[in-house]
Amino acid sequence: MSEDKKLDCPHCGERMNKWKTPADSTWGTEFQYVCFNDECPYFVKGWDWIMQQRKARASYRHRYNPVTGKSGPVPVWSNDALKDNIIREEEEAKEEE
Ligand SMILES: [Zn+2]
């Protein structure tokens, strides 16, 4: 698999967003990639799964850690949860000008 392909969500095929890892997390990386597609089947099915398993209204999104090469779920409690931490590549580029 090419480096580029790894940044596509394996569940929906959409390009994942660069996402700033919260300071209080234990992942130990500056940023990761998270699929923020609200139609992603992984995210859509997660609501039912967590409701059944834990009786809680929450879901998870697909997360890829480029440092370790590992991927896994990141828990979310709403459609917009965690979106504040998305790093917009265009904005990054602008700051460098
Ligand atoms: Zn996805």
XYZ file of all heavy atoms in Angstrom:
809
model
N 0.852 -1.208 0.000
C 0.000 0.000 0.000
C 0.883 1.252 0.000
O 1.819 1.338 0.771
C -0.887 -0.023 1.243
C -2.252 0.605 1.013
S -3.132 0.830 2.551
C -3.960 -0.745 2.723
N 0.590 2.181 -0.849
C 1.402 3.391 -0.910
C 1.100 4.298 0.269
O 0.051 4.194 0.898
C 1.127 4.149 -2.205
O -0.142 4.748 -2.145
N 2.014 5.175 0.555
C 1.864 6.112 1.687
C 0.598 6.941 1.514
O -0.119 7.214 2.446
C 3.092 7.027 1.734
C 3.253 7.779 3.039
C 3.423 6.871 4.248
O 4.084 5.813 4.142
O 2.878 7.209 5.298
N 0.338 7.284 0.255
C -0.815 8.113 -0.050
C -2.131 7.400 0.262
O -3.041 7.978 0.821
C -0.756 8.481 -1.533
C -1.433 9.803 -1.791
O -1.200 10.755 -1.014
O -2.203 9.875 -2.743
N -2.217 6.145 -0.100
C -3.434 5.360 0.101
C -3.784 5.206 1.568
O -4.945 5.080 1.936
C -3.256 3.968 -0.526
C -3.882 3.874 -1.909
C -5.399 3.683 -1.800
C -6.072 3.602 -3.148
N -7.255 4.441 -3.256
N -2.778 5.189 2.424
C -3.007 5.014 3.859
C -3.840 6.144 4.436
O -4.412 6.014 5.504
C -1.667 4.956 4.598
C -0.955 3.642 4.461
C 0.321 3.682 5.272
C 1.176 2.457 4.993
N 2.536 2.649 5.536
N -3.861 7.279 3.746
C -4.606 8.428 4.247
C -6.062 8.389 3.811
O -6.836 9.275 4.137
C -3.942 9.734 3.794
C -2.484 9.877 4.213
C -1.939 11.224 3.797
C -2.305 9.690 5.713
N -6.441 7.362 3.068
C -7.846 7.167 2.723
C -8.469 6.233 3.752
O -7.871 5.232 4.137
C -7.981 6.541 1.329
C -7.558 7.498 0.225
O -7.473 8.704 0.503
O -7.313 7.035 -0.892
N -9.673 6.574 4.194
C -10.367 5.733 5.164
C -10.680 4.369 4.543
O -11.259 4.313 3.460
C -11.641 6.430 5.606
S -12.684 5.402 6.652
N -10.313 3.276 5.205
C -10.590 1.944 4.642
C -12.076 1.585 4.653
O -12.495 0.645 3.985
C -9.802 1.003 5.565
C -9.646 1.748 6.835
C -9.594 3.214 6.472
N -12.867 2.337 5.405
C -14.298 2.033 5.516
C -15.144 2.731 4.460
O -16.142 2.187 4.006
C -14.812 2.399 6.912
C -14.049 1.710 7.996
N -14.305 0.414 8.375
C -13.002 2.130 8.760
C -13.455 0.071 9.339
N -12.663 1.082 9.582
N -14.769 3.957 4.085
C -15.579 4.689 3.111
C -14.767 5.177 1.924
O -15.327 5.647 0.935
C -16.275 5.875 3.795
S -15.129 7.126 4.390
N -13.439 5.086 1.997
C -12.602 5.487 0.881
C -12.335 6.980 0.778
O -11.637 7.439 -0.117
N -12.911 7.765 1.711
C -12.693 9.214 1.693
C -11.315 9.533 2.276
O -10.804 8.805 3.135
C -13.747 9.923 2.562
C -15.149 9.877 2.007
C -15.353 10.833 0.848
O -14.866 11.973 0.928
O -15.999 10.422 -0.131
N -10.740 10.636 1.795
C -9.476 11.090 2.359
C -9.702 11.538 3.812
O -10.630 12.287 4.094
C -8.939 12.253 1.508
C -7.702 12.957 2.041
C -6.514 12.041 2.258
N -6.063 11.351 1.071
C -4.926 11.659 0.435
N -4.164 12.608 0.849
N -4.578 10.966 -0.624
N -8.883 11.068 4.718
C -9.031 11.443 6.123
C -8.471 12.840 6.370
O -7.640 13.325 5.606
C -8.325 10.413 7.012
C -9.002 9.051 6.965
S -8.340 7.906 8.179
C -6.855 7.372 7.329
N -8.942 13.455 7.434
C -8.466 14.784 7.791
C -7.304 14.683 8.767
O -7.302 13.841 9.662
C -9.572 15.600 8.467
C -10.644 16.017 7.500
O -11.695 15.392 7.420
N -10.389 17.050 6.737
N -6.353 15.590 8.592
C -5.266 15.713 9.550
C -5.881 16.271 10.825
O -6.625 17.260 10.775
C -4.225 16.685 8.978
C -2.840 16.501 9.498
C -1.913 17.382 8.660
C -0.518 17.380 9.227
N 0.373 18.269 8.466
N -5.603 15.644 11.926
C -6.305 15.989 13.159
C -5.304 16.155 14.301
O -4.464 15.284 14.531
C -7.313 14.879 13.472
C -8.090 15.041 14.728
C -9.089 15.930 14.961
C -7.964 14.277 15.925
N -9.580 15.758 16.235
C -8.918 14.749 16.845
C -7.121 13.210 16.310
C -9.044 14.216 18.136
C -7.260 12.686 17.585
C -8.207 13.180 18.480
N -5.400 17.286 14.971
C -4.475 17.595 16.062
C -4.810 16.730 17.268
O -5.934 16.752 17.769
C -4.617 19.077 16.413
C -3.556 19.606 17.325
C -3.741 21.127 17.441
C -2.663 21.760 18.303
N -2.687 21.322 19.690
N -3.863 15.967 17.737
C -4.081 15.112 18.904
C -4.249 15.985 20.146
O -3.425 16.864 20.385
C -2.879 14.162 19.097
O -2.638 13.460 17.887
C -3.159 13.154 20.201
N -5.326 15.768 20.913
C -5.509 16.562 22.127
C -4.321 16.408 23.075
O -3.751 15.315 23.175
C -6.784 15.979 22.753
C -7.463 15.242 21.659
C -6.390 14.783 20.716
N -4.002 17.493 23.771
C -2.829 17.499 24.646
C -2.940 16.464 25.769
O -1.939 15.940 26.242
C -2.633 18.894 25.223
N -4.173 16.165 26.177
C -4.344 15.241 27.303
C -4.486 13.785 26.861
O -4.802 12.920 27.665
C -5.539 15.663 28.165
C -6.841 15.682 27.352
O -6.783 15.472 26.125
O -7.895 15.905 27.952
N -4.263 13.509 25.611
C -4.397 12.135 25.139
C -3.109 11.357 25.410
O -2.067 11.937 25.698
C -4.707 12.088 23.651
O -3.515 12.241 22.912
N -3.201 10.054 25.279
C -2.033 9.212 25.549
C -1.386 8.726 24.262
O -0.506 7.885 24.291
C -2.441 7.979 26.390
O -3.515 7.318 25.713
C -2.897 8.393 27.771
N -1.834 9.265 23.119
C -1.301 8.791 21.846
C 0.134 9.249 21.595
O 0.868 8.612 20.866
C -2.217 9.203 20.684
C -3.458 8.378 20.615
C -3.520 7.016 20.590
C -4.815 8.838 20.565
N -4.838 6.619 20.527
C -5.644 7.699 20.504
C -5.390 10.109 20.564
C -7.035 7.788 20.446
C -6.769 10.204 20.507
C -7.581 9.054 20.449
N 0.478 10.400 22.189
C 1.864 10.852 22.102
C 2.319 11.302 20.732
O 3.503 11.321 20.449
N 1.377 11.676 19.861
C 1.767 12.211 18.564
C 1.155 13.597 18.402
O 0.136 13.901 19.014
C 1.243 11.337 17.399
O -0.173 11.219 17.542
C 1.878 9.975 17.416
N 1.780 14.402 17.571
C 1.298 15.767 17.378
C -0.018 15.787 16.617
O -0.920 16.536 16.909
C 2.358 16.551 16.614
C 2.243 18.050 16.765
C 3.308 18.753 15.948
O 4.448 18.264 15.901
O 2.975 19.785 15.340
N -0.099 14.938 15.597
C -1.341 14.862 14.830
C -1.545 13.445 14.316
O -0.606 12.638 14.278
C -1.350 15.862 13.672
C -0.296 15.597 12.632
C -0.530 14.693 11.602
C 0.928 16.232 12.686
C 0.445 14.433 10.649
C 1.912 15.977 11.739
C 1.674 15.077 10.716
N -2.770 13.157 13.950
C -3.117 11.867 13.368
C -4.079 12.143 12.224
O -4.363 13.296 11.907
C -3.785 10.987 14.420
C -2.894 10.772 15.629
C -3.509 9.830 16.635
O -3.706 8.658 16.370
N -3.810 10.359 17.801
N -4.574 11.110 11.613
C -5.570 11.263 10.558
C -6.857 10.612 11.027
O -6.844 9.500 11.556
C -5.086 10.631 9.249
C -3.942 11.414 8.643
C -2.630 11.139 8.993
C -4.194 12.463 7.774
C -1.576 11.885 8.468
C -3.163 13.214 7.240
C -1.858 12.921 7.591
O -0.823 13.661 7.085
N -7.968 11.340 10.867
C -9.263 10.830 11.294
C -10.250 11.011 10.146
O -10.239 12.031 9.452
C -9.776 11.581 12.550
C -11.199 11.167 12.900
C -8.855 11.324 13.742
N -11.107 10.008 9.937
C -12.154 10.111 8.922
C -13.319 10.907 9.503
O -13.985 10.433 10.427
C -12.621 8.719 8.500
S -14.042 8.788 7.389
N -13.548 12.103 8.984
C -14.647 12.939 9.477
C -15.844 12.916 8.532
O -16.687 13.799 8.568
C -14.171 14.373 9.728
C -13.427 14.506 11.028
C -12.043 14.595 11.055
C -14.119 14.527 12.235
C -11.356 14.694 12.267
C -13.444 14.625 13.439
C -12.057 14.718 13.460
N -15.905 11.904 7.698
C -17.063 11.743 6.816
C -18.260 11.268 7.649
O -18.232 10.182 8.235
C -16.710 10.705 5.737
C -17.881 10.385 4.827
O -18.908 11.067 4.855
N -17.728 9.354 4.022
N -19.313 12.085 7.696
C -20.484 11.729 8.502
C -21.273 10.570 7.901
O -22.151 10.013 8.548
C -21.402 12.949 8.663
C -20.768 14.008 9.557
O -19.887 13.659 10.364
O -21.142 15.185 9.442
N -20.978 10.221 6.652
C -21.646 9.093 5.999
C -20.819 7.815 6.098
O -21.230 6.774 5.584
C -21.842 9.388 4.496
C -22.398 10.752 4.178
C -23.888 10.826 4.406
O -24.593 10.020 3.799
O -24.321 11.673 5.209
N -19.656 7.904 6.709
C -18.772 6.736 6.793
C -19.482 5.593 7.522
O -19.986 5.776 8.626
C -17.501 7.116 7.555
S -16.330 5.751 7.677
N -19.544 4.398 6.916
C -20.268 3.285 7.555
C -19.735 2.926 8.938
O -20.500 2.501 9.807
C -20.090 2.113 6.576
C -19.103 2.550 5.559
C -19.033 4.042 5.588
N -18.456 3.107 9.138
C -17.850 2.821 10.448
C -18.470 3.728 11.517
O -18.852 3.283 12.592
C -16.356 3.083 10.329
C -15.516 2.642 11.501
C -15.352 1.288 11.792
C -14.845 3.580 12.284
C -14.546 0.890 12.848
C -14.038 3.184 13.340
C -13.889 1.829 13.616
O -13.089 1.451 14.661
N -18.590 5.013 11.182
C -19.162 6.016 12.079
C -20.674 5.812 12.221
O -21.215 5.831 13.330
C -18.843 7.401 11.513
C -19.534 8.545 12.204
C -19.208 8.893 13.511
C -20.493 9.307 11.536
C -19.833 9.965 14.137
C -21.112 10.376 12.156
C -20.788 10.708 13.463
N -21.356 5.558 11.107
C -22.816 5.406 11.112
C -23.234 4.191 11.947
O -24.133 4.263 12.776
C -23.352 5.289 9.665
C -24.820 4.904 9.645
C -23.145 6.611 8.917
N -22.537 3.060 11.757
C -22.887 1.847 12.501
C -22.478 1.928 13.961
O -23.029 1.228 14.812
C -22.223 0.624 11.851
C -22.881 0.213 10.556
C -22.135 -0.958 9.923
C -22.573 -1.181 8.488
N -21.560 -1.893 7.707
N -21.488 2.781 14.241
C -20.985 2.892 15.609
C -22.038 3.321 16.611
O -22.035 2.887 17.761
N -22.972 4.192 16.167
C -24.026 4.665 17.073
C -24.834 3.495 17.628
O -25.048 3.395 18.834
C -24.971 5.624 16.349
C -24.324 6.893 15.916
C -23.962 7.218 14.649
C -23.938 8.017 16.737
N -23.386 8.469 14.626
C -23.369 8.976 15.880
C -24.031 8.278 18.107
C -22.877 10.188 16.360
C -23.555 9.487 18.585
C -22.985 10.429 17.719
N -25.303 2.613 16.727
C -26.110 1.464 17.152
C -25.295 0.512 18.016
O -25.762 -0.017 19.006
C -26.634 0.703 15.922
C -27.734 1.474 15.214
O -28.303 2.393 15.841
O -28.015 1.166 14.047
N -24.072 0.299 17.590
C -23.220 -0.660 18.299
C -22.998 -0.211 19.749
O -23.160 -0.998 20.681
C -21.881 -0.810 17.575
C -21.117 -2.007 18.039
C -21.214 -3.269 17.557
C -20.158 -2.057 19.101
N -20.371 -4.097 18.260
C -19.715 -3.391 19.208
C -19.640 -1.094 19.973
C -18.777 -3.798 20.146
C -18.703 -1.488 20.909
C -18.271 -2.831 20.996
N -22.656 1.052 19.921
C -22.381 1.538 21.285
C -23.667 1.588 22.095
O -23.661 1.298 23.291
C -21.646 2.899 21.242
C -20.224 2.668 20.726
C -21.635 3.562 22.615
C -19.298 3.838 20.767
N -24.775 1.925 21.455
C -26.050 1.938 22.170
C -26.376 0.534 22.689
O -26.798 0.360 23.828
C -27.162 2.463 21.246
C -28.516 2.637 21.908
S -28.482 3.611 23.443
C -28.508 5.295 22.811
N -26.139 -0.467 21.859
C -26.403 -1.845 22.277
C -25.429 -2.319 23.358
O -25.822 -2.954 24.331
C -26.271 -2.796 21.074
C -27.489 -2.779 20.164
C -27.211 -3.460 18.820
O -26.242 -4.202 18.680
N -28.042 -3.198 17.829
N -24.164 -2.013 23.153
C -23.131 -2.525 24.048
C -23.056 -1.764 25.361
O -22.818 -2.348 26.403
C -21.751 -2.444 23.374
C -21.641 -3.236 22.088
C -21.732 -4.737 22.309
O -21.141 -5.260 23.239
N -22.492 -5.426 21.480
N -23.192 -0.452 25.283
C -22.927 0.360 26.482
C -24.092 1.241 26.884
O -23.981 2.035 27.808
C -21.711 1.257 26.228
C -20.495 0.465 25.848
C -19.273 1.343 25.845
N -18.208 0.754 25.042
C -17.195 1.433 24.543
N -17.086 2.712 24.754
N -16.272 0.824 23.832
N -25.210 1.149 26.132
C -26.374 1.986 26.440
C -25.992 3.468 26.514
O -26.430 4.196 27.384
C -27.027 1.553 27.766
C -27.385 0.068 27.796
C -28.708 -0.198 27.083
C -29.091 -1.670 27.113
N -28.600 -2.429 25.939
N -25.148 3.882 25.600
C -24.720 5.275 25.578
C -24.873 5.823 24.171
O -24.753 5.081 23.190
C -23.269 5.394 26.019
N -25.156 7.128 24.056
C -25.267 7.743 22.737
C -23.889 8.264 22.342
O -23.489 9.370 22.689
C -26.308 8.863 22.778
C -26.382 9.598 21.453
C -27.776 10.029 21.052
N -27.715 10.755 19.781
C -27.687 10.157 18.581
N -27.751 8.860 18.468
N -27.610 10.880 17.480
N -23.174 7.453 21.623
C -21.829 7.811 21.175
C -21.485 6.940 19.975
O -22.179 5.969 19.666
C -20.813 7.591 22.287
N -20.432 7.293 19.287
C -19.948 6.494 18.178
C -18.429 6.642 18.130
O -17.826 7.141 19.091
C -20.591 6.934 16.864
O -20.193 6.063 15.810
N -17.854 6.224 17.040
C -16.418 6.387 16.897
C -16.097 6.600 15.432
O -16.881 6.276 14.551
C -15.654 5.166 17.440
C -16.348 3.851 17.198
C -16.375 3.288 15.933
C -17.017 3.197 18.237
C -17.041 2.107 15.698
C -17.690 2.005 18.000
C -17.691 1.462 16.728
O -18.365 0.294 16.494
N -14.941 7.191 15.213
C -14.484 7.427 13.848
C -13.172 6.689 13.647
O -12.465 6.405 14.616
C -14.286 8.937 13.618
C -15.590 9.732 13.614
C -15.311 11.194 13.340
N -16.507 12.037 13.395
C -17.362 12.189 12.383
N -17.183 11.566 11.249
N -18.404 12.995 12.523
N -12.854 6.433 12.384
C -11.612 5.728 12.080
C -10.432 6.680 12.239
O -10.438 7.789 11.732
C -11.658 5.161 10.664
C -10.408 4.423 10.303
N -10.151 3.153 10.745
C -9.336 4.806 9.572
C -8.961 2.777 10.279
N -8.453 3.754 9.572
N -9.416 6.219 12.937
C -8.234 7.036 13.211
C -6.985 6.291 12.751
O -6.877 5.075 12.914
C -8.156 7.268 14.725
C -6.897 7.949 15.225
C -6.916 8.022 16.751
N -7.103 6.707 17.364
C -6.121 5.813 17.537
N -4.886 6.095 17.164
N -6.365 4.636 18.078
N -6.060 7.022 12.141
C -4.794 6.433 11.704
C -3.643 7.240 12.284
O -3.598 8.462 12.143
C -4.731 6.422 10.167
C -3.371 6.087 9.615
C -2.834 4.809 9.772
C -2.617 7.048 8.951
C -1.574 4.505 9.278
C -1.363 6.753 8.447
C -0.845 5.474 8.619
O 0.401 5.178 8.138
N -2.754 6.555 12.969
C -1.602 7.207 13.579
C -0.398 7.036 12.652
O 0.117 5.932 12.499
C -1.335 6.552 14.948
C -0.196 7.218 15.685
O 0.713 7.778 15.083
N -0.253 7.148 17.004
N 0.045 8.129 12.005
C 1.128 8.010 11.009
C 2.475 7.686 11.640
O 3.393 7.257 10.942
C 1.141 9.387 10.333
C 0.566 10.321 11.345
C -0.405 9.513 12.169
N 2.614 7.900 12.944
C 3.893 7.630 13.619
C 4.057 6.137 13.875
O 5.093 5.546 13.578
C 3.999 8.431 14.936
C 5.288 8.096 15.663
C 3.927 9.927 14.641
N 3.023 5.519 14.382
C 3.099 4.082 14.685
C 2.598 3.229 13.519
O 2.846 2.030 13.483
C 2.240 3.746 15.913
O 0.871 4.053 15.612
C 2.664 4.549 17.139
N 1.864 3.846 12.593
C 1.285 3.094 11.491
C 0.059 2.304 11.908
O -0.480 1.523 11.138
N -0.378 2.509 13.152
C -1.543 1.771 13.655
C -2.817 2.598 13.480
O -2.791 3.825 13.532
C -1.348 1.477 15.147
C -0.187 0.516 15.399
C -0.591 -0.514 16.444
C 0.371 -1.687 16.487
N 1.668 -1.309 17.066
N -3.919 1.891 13.299
C -5.185 2.596 13.226
C -6.141 2.004 14.250
O -5.937 0.893 14.746
C -5.772 2.502 11.824
O -5.844 1.160 11.421
N -7.178 2.763 14.558
C -8.145 2.308 15.550
C -9.262 3.313 15.670
O -9.301 4.286 14.923
N -10.178 3.099 16.601
C -11.297 4.020 16.749
C -10.957 5.212 17.636
O -10.121 5.108 18.536
C -12.364 3.155 17.421
C -11.591 2.130 18.197
C -10.271 1.949 17.501
N -11.586 6.337 17.346
C -11.536 7.460 18.282
C -12.989 7.760 18.644
O -13.843 7.919 17.774
C -10.809 8.693 17.690
C -11.423 9.192 16.411
C -10.735 9.814 18.722
N -13.325 7.727 19.946
C -14.724 7.911 20.354
C -15.219 9.330 20.142
O -14.476 10.290 20.365
C -14.719 7.559 21.852
C -13.303 7.450 22.269
C -12.417 7.520 21.072
N -16.468 9.459 19.691
C -17.104 10.763 19.523
C -18.514 10.705 20.114
O -19.116 9.628 20.187
C -17.189 11.201 18.052
C -15.818 11.547 17.506
C -17.838 10.145 17.188
N -19.019 11.851 20.539
C -20.322 11.914 21.189
C -21.340 12.693 20.360
O -22.497 12.783 20.728
C -20.178 12.542 22.581
C -19.451 13.851 22.515
C -20.008 15.082 22.394
C -18.028 14.065 22.529
N -19.021 16.042 22.310
C -17.803 15.439 22.404
C -16.910 13.212 22.625
C -16.521 15.999 22.367
C -15.638 13.780 22.599
C -15.459 15.143 22.468
N -20.900 13.249 19.226
C -21.812 13.940 18.319
C -21.169 14.015 16.944
O -19.985 13.706 16.793
C -22.112 15.355 18.825
O -21.010 16.197 18.570
N -21.958 14.439 15.952
C -21.438 14.568 14.589
C -20.285 15.561 14.513
O -19.403 15.435 13.682
C -22.540 15.040 13.645
C -23.379 13.881 13.126
O -23.447 12.827 13.773
N -24.032 14.061 11.999
N -20.352 16.578 15.377
C -19.355 17.641 15.296
C -18.210 17.474 16.287
O -17.265 18.252 16.268
C -20.024 19.001 15.523
C -20.932 19.358 14.358
O -20.613 18.994 13.217
O -21.970 19.998 14.599
N -18.307 16.466 17.137
C -17.257 16.263 18.126
C -15.906 16.085 17.457
O -15.817 15.443 16.404
C -17.578 15.037 18.974
N -14.894 16.683 18.032
C -13.491 16.587 17.586
C -13.173 17.419 16.348
O -12.010 17.578 15.988
C -13.072 15.128 17.312
C -13.302 14.104 18.418
C -12.805 12.741 17.954
C -12.627 14.483 19.705
N -14.209 17.947 15.691
C -13.949 18.675 14.440
C -13.167 19.974 14.653
O -12.543 20.464 13.719
C -15.257 18.954 13.684
C -15.793 17.689 13.005
C -17.056 17.958 12.211
C -17.535 16.670 11.525
N -18.843 16.824 10.917
N -13.211 20.500 15.864
C -12.422 21.713 16.163
C -10.926 21.462 16.001
O -10.159 22.388 15.808
C -12.667 22.174 17.613
C -14.035 22.810 17.761
O -14.686 23.061 16.732
O -14.445 23.059 18.903
N -10.534 20.217 16.112
C -9.106 19.877 16.066
C -8.603 19.542 14.664
O -7.447 19.186 14.490
C -8.815 18.702 16.999
C -8.636 19.159 18.440
O -8.983 20.282 18.784
N -8.105 18.303 19.274
N -9.482 19.641 13.663
C -9.048 19.363 12.292
C -8.046 20.425 11.855
O -8.266 21.617 12.053
C -10.250 19.340 11.311
C -11.176 18.168 11.639
C -9.762 19.243 9.865
C -12.459 18.159 10.813
N -6.947 19.971 11.296
C -5.939 20.889 10.778
C -6.196 21.074 9.292
O -6.104 20.113 8.518
C -4.515 20.324 10.998
C -4.267 20.082 12.493
C -3.473 21.263 10.411
C -3.031 19.238 12.777
N -6.564 22.295 8.906
C -6.820 22.585 7.484
C -5.495 22.809 6.782
O -4.747 23.701 7.130
C -7.686 23.847 7.338
C -9.008 23.758 8.069
C -10.050 23.019 7.249
N -11.263 22.782 8.033
C -12.143 21.814 7.759
N -11.946 21.028 6.736
N -13.215 21.641 8.505
N -5.225 21.987 5.780
C -3.945 22.071 5.074
C -3.777 23.436 4.398
O -2.691 23.975 4.353
C -3.822 20.960 4.032
C -4.167 19.571 4.541
C -2.947 18.819 5.102
O -1.873 19.413 5.121
O -3.105 17.662 5.508
N -4.891 23.999 3.883
C -4.810 25.302 3.203
C -4.377 26.398 4.171
O -3.575 27.244 3.856
C -6.152 25.724 2.596
C -6.890 24.649 1.825
C -7.765 23.809 2.716
O -8.757 24.323 3.227
O -7.443 22.633 2.940
N -4.919 26.338 5.399
C -4.576 27.346 6.390
C -3.106 27.234 6.785
O -2.423 28.221 6.977
C -5.452 27.188 7.641
C -6.862 27.709 7.399
C -7.802 27.368 8.531
O -7.332 27.205 9.664
O -9.017 27.271 8.278
N -2.642 26.022 6.883
C -1.232 25.793 7.206
C -0.346 26.425 6.148
O 0.621 27.086 6.439
C -0.940 24.294 7.234
C -1.104 23.672 8.586
C -0.524 22.263 8.622
O -0.627 21.552 7.612
O 0.017 21.898 9.638
N -0.719 26.212 4.892
C 0.064 26.728 3.779
C 0.087 28.244 3.802
O 1.084 28.880 3.533
C -0.510 26.228 2.457
N -1.072 28.850 4.149
C -1.184 30.301 4.199
C -0.238 30.902 5.221
O 0.396 31.913 5.001
C -2.629 30.692 4.536
C -3.271 31.587 3.503
C -4.694 31.937 3.894
C -5.690 31.204 3.033
N -7.063 31.316 3.524
N -0.162 30.245 6.385
C 0.686 30.758 7.454
C 2.159 30.789 7.060
O 2.936 31.589 7.571
C 0.517 29.887 8.715
C -0.745 30.260 9.483
C -1.074 29.229 10.553
O -0.138 28.548 11.016
O -2.255 29.115 10.906
N 2.535 29.914 6.151
C 3.934 29.833 5.754
C 4.326 30.924 4.759
O 5.509 31.187 4.569
C 4.230 28.454 5.142
C 4.403 27.380 6.220
C 4.348 25.979 5.643
O 4.558 25.825 4.430
O 4.056 25.046 6.398
N 3.348 31.576 4.160
C 3.658 32.584 3.135
C 4.354 33.806 3.717
O 4.081 34.180 4.843
C 2.369 33.047 2.437
C 2.022 32.167 1.254
C 0.627 32.507 0.706
O 0.191 33.662 0.852
O -0.006 31.597 0.160
Zn -14.545 6.682 6.676
